[in-house]
PDB file of all heavy atoms in Angstrom:
ATOM      1  N   LEU J 530      91.336 108.737 110.936  1.00  0.00           N
ATOM      2  CA  LEU J 530      91.031 108.720 112.369  1.00  0.00           C
ATOM      3  C   LEU J 530      91.979 107.770 113.095  1.00  0.00           C
ATOM      4  O   LEU J 530      92.490 108.099 114.170  1.00  0.00           O
ATOM      5  CB  LEU J 530      89.575 108.319 112.615  1.00  0.00           C
ATOM      6  CG  LEU J 530      89.163 108.167 114.079  1.00  0.00           C
ATOM      7  CD1 LEU J 530      89.394 109.454 114.868  1.00  0.00           C
ATOM      8  CD2 LEU J 530      87.711 107.720 114.169  1.00  0.00           C
ATOM      9  N   TYR J 533      95.130 109.637 113.499  1.00  0.00           N
ATOM     10  CA  TYR J 533      95.012 110.600 114.600  1.00  0.00           C
ATOM     11  C   TYR J 533      95.196 109.883 115.939  1.00  0.00           C
ATOM     12  O   TYR J 533      95.952 110.325 116.796  1.00  0.00           O
ATOM     13  CB  TYR J 533      93.631 111.264 114.610  1.00  0.00           C
ATOM     14  CG  TYR J 533      93.301 112.227 113.499  1.00  0.00           C
ATOM     15  CD1 TYR J 533      91.970 112.591 113.276  1.00  0.00           C
ATOM     16  CD2 TYR J 533      94.264 112.793 112.673  1.00  0.00           C
ATOM     17  CE1 TYR J 533      91.621 113.484 112.274  1.00  0.00           C
ATOM     18  CE2 TYR J 533      93.921 113.677 111.663  1.00  0.00           C
ATOM     19  CZ  TYR J 533      92.596 114.022 111.473  1.00  0.00           C
ATOM     20  OH  TYR J 533      92.247 114.912 110.492  1.00  0.00           O
ATOM     21  N   GLN J 534      94.476 108.776 116.097  1.00  0.00           N
ATOM     22  CA  GLN J 534      94.509 108.053 117.369  1.00  0.00           C
ATOM     23  C   GLN J 534      95.883 107.455 117.644  1.00  0.00           C
ATOM     24  O   GLN J 534      96.333 107.414 118.792  1.00  0.00           O
ATOM     25  CB  GLN J 534      93.421 106.977 117.383  1.00  0.00           C
ATOM     26  CG  GLN J 534      92.035 107.575 117.409  1.00  0.00           C
ATOM     27  CD  GLN J 534      90.923 106.571 117.138  1.00  0.00           C
ATOM     28  OE1 GLN J 534      91.150 105.520 116.539  1.00  0.00           O
ATOM     29  NE2 GLN J 534      89.712 106.907 117.567  1.00  0.00           N
ATOM     30  N   LEU J 538      95.891 111.489 119.630  1.00  0.00           N
ATOM     31  CA  LEU J 538      94.801 112.467 119.605  1.00  0.00           C
ATOM     32  C   LEU J 538      93.527 111.797 120.091  1.00  0.00           C
ATOM     33  O   LEU J 538      93.301 110.615 119.867  1.00  0.00           O
ATOM     34  CB  LEU J 538      94.615 113.029 118.202  1.00  0.00           C
ATOM     35  CG  LEU J 538      95.847 113.708 117.595  1.00  0.00           C
ATOM     36  CD1 LEU J 538      95.513 114.269 116.228  1.00  0.00           C
ATOM     37  CD2 LEU J 538      96.393 114.776 118.497  1.00  0.00           C
ATOM     38  N   LYS J 539      92.692 112.572 120.735  1.00  0.00           N
ATOM     39  CA  LYS J 539      91.457 112.027 121.279  1.00  0.00           C
ATOM     40  C   LYS J 539      90.347 113.062 121.205  1.00  0.00           C
ATOM     41  O   LYS J 539      90.554 114.167 120.692  1.00  0.00           O
ATOM     42  CB  LYS J 539      91.674 111.551 122.713  1.00  0.00           C
ATOM     43  CG  LYS J 539      92.219 112.611 123.625  1.00  0.00           C
ATOM     44  CD  LYS J 539      92.602 112.025 124.972  1.00  0.00           C
ATOM     45  CE  LYS J 539      93.181 113.143 125.804  1.00  0.00           C
ATOM     46  NZ  LYS J 539      94.441 112.875 126.393  1.00  0.00           N
ATOM     47  N   LYS J 540      89.200 112.706 121.728  1.00  0.00           N
ATOM     48  CA  LYS J 540      88.040 113.594 121.724  1.00  0.00           C
ATOM     49  C   LYS J 540      88.451 114.951 122.293  1.00  0.00           C
ATOM     50  O   LYS J 540      89.105 115.033 123.329  1.00  0.00           O
ATOM     51  CB  LYS J 540      86.924 112.977 122.572  1.00  0.00           C
ATOM     52  CG  LYS J 540      85.640 113.739 122.543  1.00  0.00           C
ATOM     53  CD  LYS J 540      84.562 113.010 123.322  1.00  0.00           C
ATOM     54  CE  LYS J 540      83.274 113.787 123.242  1.00  0.00           C
ATOM     55  NZ  LYS J 540      82.184 113.083 123.925  1.00  0.00           N
ATOM     56  N   GLY J 541      88.072 116.016 121.582  1.00  0.00           N
ATOM     57  CA  GLY J 541      88.389 117.374 122.017  1.00  0.00           C
ATOM     58  C   GLY J 541      89.681 117.931 121.448  1.00  0.00           C
ATOM     59  O   GLY J 541      89.929 119.132 121.559  1.00  0.00           O
ATOM     60  N   SER J 542      90.519 117.087 120.826  1.00  0.00           N
ATOM     61  CA  SER J 542      91.759 117.584 120.222  1.00  0.00           C
ATOM     62  C   SER J 542      91.423 118.610 119.148  1.00  0.00           C
ATOM     63  O   SER J 542      90.459 118.450 118.399  1.00  0.00           O
ATOM     64  CB  SER J 542      92.568 116.442 119.608  1.00  0.00           C
ATOM     65  OG  SER J 542      93.058 115.569 120.582  1.00  0.00           O
ATOM     66  N   GLN J 543      92.240 119.662 119.073  1.00  0.00           N
ATOM     67  CA  GLN J 543      92.012 120.721 118.094  1.00  0.00           C
ATOM     68  C   GLN J 543      92.892 120.485 116.871  1.00  0.00           C
ATOM     69  O   GLN J 543      94.114 120.354 116.983  1.00  0.00           O
ATOM     70  CB  GLN J 543      92.322 122.079 118.715  1.00  0.00           C
ATOM     71  CG  GLN J 543      91.413 122.392 119.882  1.00  0.00           C
ATOM     72  CD  GLN J 543      91.817 123.650 120.625  1.00  0.00           C
ATOM     73  OE1 GLN J 543      92.947 124.103 120.555  1.00  0.00           O
ATOM     74  NE2 GLN J 543      90.860 124.221 121.337  1.00  0.00           N
ATOM     75  N   LEU J 544      92.264 120.438 115.702  1.00  0.00           N
ATOM     76  CA  LEU J 544      92.944 120.187 114.442  1.00  0.00           C
ATOM     77  C   LEU J 544      92.869 121.419 113.561  1.00  0.00           C
ATOM     78  O   LEU J 544      91.790 121.981 113.373  1.00  0.00           O
ATOM     79  CB  LEU J 544      92.287 119.013 113.704  1.00  0.00           C
ATOM     80  CG  LEU J 544      92.049 117.733 114.500  1.00  0.00           C
ATOM     81  CD1 LEU J 544      91.243 116.749 113.661  1.00  0.00           C
ATOM     82  CD2 LEU J 544      93.364 117.129 114.936  1.00  0.00           C
ATOM     83  N   CYS J 557      89.881 114.544 106.156  1.00  0.00           N
ATOM     84  CA  CYS J 557      90.406 114.896 107.486  1.00  0.00           C
ATOM     85  C   CYS J 557      89.329 115.520 108.368  1.00  0.00           C
ATOM     86  O   CYS J 557      89.288 115.264 109.574  1.00  0.00           O
ATOM     87  CB  CYS J 557      91.593 115.845 107.350  1.00  0.00           C
ATOM     88  SG  CYS J 557      93.068 115.035 106.705  1.00  0.00           S
ATOM     89  N   PHE J 558      88.465 116.326 107.775  1.00  0.00           N
ATOM     90  CA  PHE J 558      87.374 116.932 108.530  1.00  0.00           C
ATOM     91  C   PHE J 558      86.480 115.849 109.125  1.00  0.00           C
ATOM     92  O   PHE J 558      86.185 115.848 110.322  1.00  0.00           O
ATOM     93  CB  PHE J 558      86.559 117.867 107.628  1.00  0.00           C
ATOM     94  CG  PHE J 558      85.362 118.451 108.304  1.00  0.00           C
ATOM     95  CD1 PHE J 558      85.486 119.583 109.084  1.00  0.00           C
ATOM     96  CD2 PHE J 558      84.102 117.868 108.159  1.00  0.00           C
ATOM     97  CE1 PHE J 558      84.363 120.129 109.716  1.00  0.00           C
ATOM     98  CE2 PHE J 558      82.994 118.404 108.792  1.00  0.00           C
ATOM     99  CZ  PHE J 558      83.123 119.540 109.570  1.00  0.00           C
ATOM    100  N   TRP J 559      86.039 114.894 108.280  1.00  0.00           N
ATOM    101  CA  TRP J 559      85.143 113.844 108.760  1.00  0.00           C
ATOM    102  C   TRP J 559      85.829 112.908 109.739  1.00  0.00           C
ATOM    103  O   TRP J 559      85.202 112.419 110.683  1.00  0.00           O
ATOM    104  CB  TRP J 559      84.486 113.094 107.604  1.00  0.00           C
ATOM    105  CG  TRP J 559      83.348 113.895 107.066  1.00  0.00           C
ATOM    106  CD1 TRP J 559      83.288 114.558 105.893  1.00  0.00           C
ATOM    107  CD2 TRP J 559      82.126 114.191 107.754  1.00  0.00           C
ATOM    108  NE1 TRP J 559      82.098 115.244 105.789  1.00  0.00           N
ATOM    109  CE2 TRP J 559      81.370 115.030 106.929  1.00  0.00           C
ATOM    110  CE3 TRP J 559      81.600 113.827 108.982  1.00  0.00           C
ATOM    111  CZ2 TRP J 559      80.114 115.513 107.285  1.00  0.00           C
ATOM    112  CZ3 TRP J 559      80.347 114.310 109.342  1.00  0.00           C
ATOM    113  CH2 TRP J 559      79.629 115.135 108.492  1.00  0.00           C
ATOM    114  N   ALA J 560      87.124 112.682 109.561  1.00  0.00           N
ATOM    115  CA  ALA J 560      87.867 111.872 110.528  1.00  0.00           C
ATOM    116  C   ALA J 560      87.831 112.553 111.895  1.00  0.00           C
ATOM    117  O   ALA J 560      87.612 111.904 112.920  1.00  0.00           O
ATOM    118  CB  ALA J 560      89.304 111.672 110.070  1.00  0.00           C
ATOM    119  N   GLY J 561      88.025 113.861 111.907  1.00  0.00           N
ATOM    120  CA  GLY J 561      87.967 114.607 113.159  1.00  0.00           C
ATOM    121  C   GLY J 561      86.589 114.566 113.796  1.00  0.00           C
ATOM    122  O   GLY J 561      86.449 114.355 115.003  1.00  0.00           O
ATOM    123  N   ILE J 562      85.554 114.740 113.001  1.00  0.00           N
ATOM    124  CA  ILE J 562      84.182 114.698 113.513  1.00  0.00           C
ATOM    125  C   ILE J 562      83.881 113.316 114.092  1.00  0.00           C
ATOM    126  O   ILE J 562      83.320 113.192 115.189  1.00  0.00           O
ATOM    127  CB  ILE J 562      83.163 115.050 112.401  1.00  0.00           C
ATOM    128  CG1 ILE J 562      83.332 116.505 111.957  1.00  0.00           C
ATOM    129  CG2 ILE J 562      81.733 114.766 112.848  1.00  0.00           C
ATOM    130  CD1 ILE J 562      83.068 117.547 113.015  1.00  0.00           C
ATOM    131  N   LEU J 563      84.264 112.262 113.362  1.00  0.00           N
ATOM    132  CA  LEU J 563      84.021 110.890 113.842  1.00  0.00           C
ATOM    133  C   LEU J 563      84.743 110.609 115.155  1.00  0.00           C
ATOM    134  O   LEU J 563      84.268 109.817 115.963  1.00  0.00           O
ATOM    135  CB  LEU J 563      84.451 109.873 112.775  1.00  0.00           C
ATOM    136  CG  LEU J 563      83.571 109.820 111.531  1.00  0.00           C
ATOM    137  CD1 LEU J 563      84.252 109.021 110.420  1.00  0.00           C
ATOM    138  CD2 LEU J 563      82.203 109.241 111.857  1.00  0.00           C
ATOM    139  N   GLY J 564      85.871 111.276 115.378  1.00  0.00           N
ATOM    140  CA  GLY J 564      86.637 111.081 116.607  1.00  0.00           C
ATOM    141  C   GLY J 564      86.306 112.065 117.707  1.00  0.00           C
ATOM    142  O   GLY J 564      86.958 112.071 118.752  1.00  0.00           O
ATOM    143  N   GLY J 565      85.306 112.920 117.482  1.00  0.00           N
ATOM    144  CA  GLY J 565      84.919 113.899 118.498  1.00  0.00           C
ATOM    145  C   GLY J 565      85.927 115.028 118.645  1.00  0.00           C
ATOM    146  O   GLY J 565      85.992 115.695 119.677  1.00  0.00           O
ATOM    147  N   MET J 566      86.716 115.270 117.605  1.00  0.00           N
ATOM    148  CA  MET J 566      87.732 116.320 117.626  1.00  0.00           C
ATOM    149  C   MET J 566      87.153 117.618 117.092  1.00  0.00           C
ATOM    150  O   MET J 566      86.022 117.649 116.627  1.00  0.00           O
ATOM    151  CB  MET J 566      88.948 115.865 116.816  1.00  0.00           C
ATOM    152  CG  MET J 566      89.573 114.611 117.401  1.00  0.00           C
ATOM    153  SD  MET J 566      90.742 113.835 116.293  1.00  0.00           S
ATOM    154  CE  MET J 566      90.940 112.253 117.115  1.00  0.00           C
ATOM    155  N   VAL J 567      87.927 118.678 117.170  1.00  0.00           N
ATOM    156  CA  VAL J 567      87.477 119.998 116.733  1.00  0.00           C
ATOM    157  C   VAL J 567      88.310 120.414 115.514  1.00  0.00           C
ATOM    158  O   VAL J 567      89.418 120.920 115.664  1.00  0.00           O
ATOM    159  CB  VAL J 567      87.629 121.036 117.868  1.00  0.00           C
ATOM    160  CG1 VAL J 567      87.100 122.385 117.428  1.00  0.00           C
ATOM    161  CG2 VAL J 567      86.950 120.551 119.139  1.00  0.00           C
ATOM    162  N   PRO J 568      87.781 120.171 114.294  1.00  0.00           N
ATOM    163  CA  PRO J 568      88.542 120.511 113.088  1.00  0.00           C
ATOM    164  C   PRO J 568      88.298 121.945 112.625  1.00  0.00           C
ATOM    165  O   PRO J 568      87.188 122.464 112.750  1.00  0.00           O
ATOM    166  CB  PRO J 568      88.010 119.519 112.056  1.00  0.00           C
ATOM    167  CG  PRO J 568      86.609 119.230 112.499  1.00  0.00           C
ATOM    168  CD  PRO J 568      86.591 119.387 113.996  1.00  0.00           C
TER     169      PRO J 568
END
Side-chain angles (χ1 to χ4, degrees):
L530 176 58
Y533 290 164
Q534 292 168 338
L538 302 182
K539 56 188 178 231
K540 185 176 181 177
S542 293
Q543 297 173 339
L544 310 173
C557 288
F558 176 84
W559 281 108
I562 294 297
L563 290 167
M566 299 167 193
V567 183

